[in-house]
Amino acid sequence: MTREQAIRAAAALLDAVAERAARRPREAAEAAWYPGHRLGSVEAIEAEIIRRREADVCLAEAAA
């Protein structure tokens, strides 16, 4: 992989992460669910997304 390819791949990854973070928790959970997902249901995934986002906010506030 060339440096240019690596930069493009990293940019695409950052775009995907930003797009996912912009979704409401339910939308993100529906997009993440697949048969056999370790959390089992869209509702469980949604709860985990909410928990992680709240934890991220707490960490950001603590760092400020």
Side-chain angles (χ1 to χ4, degrees), residues 11-62:
L13 178 60
L14 289 174
D15 286 345
V17 169
E19 180 182 327
R20 186 178 64 195
R23 292 180 179 171
R24 292 188 333 253
R26 181 65 180 205
E27 292 172 332
E30 289 170 351
W33 184 86
Y34 58 87
H37 190 285
R38 68 178 181 83
L39 294 178
S41 68
V42 171
E43 291 76 15
I45 298 168
E46 180 181 17
E48 179 64 13
I49 290 168
I50 292 168
R51 185 194 69 74
R52 288 183 183 188
R53 288 182 181 180
E54 288 173 352
D56 289 346
V57 169
C58 290
L59 285 174
E61 289 174 352

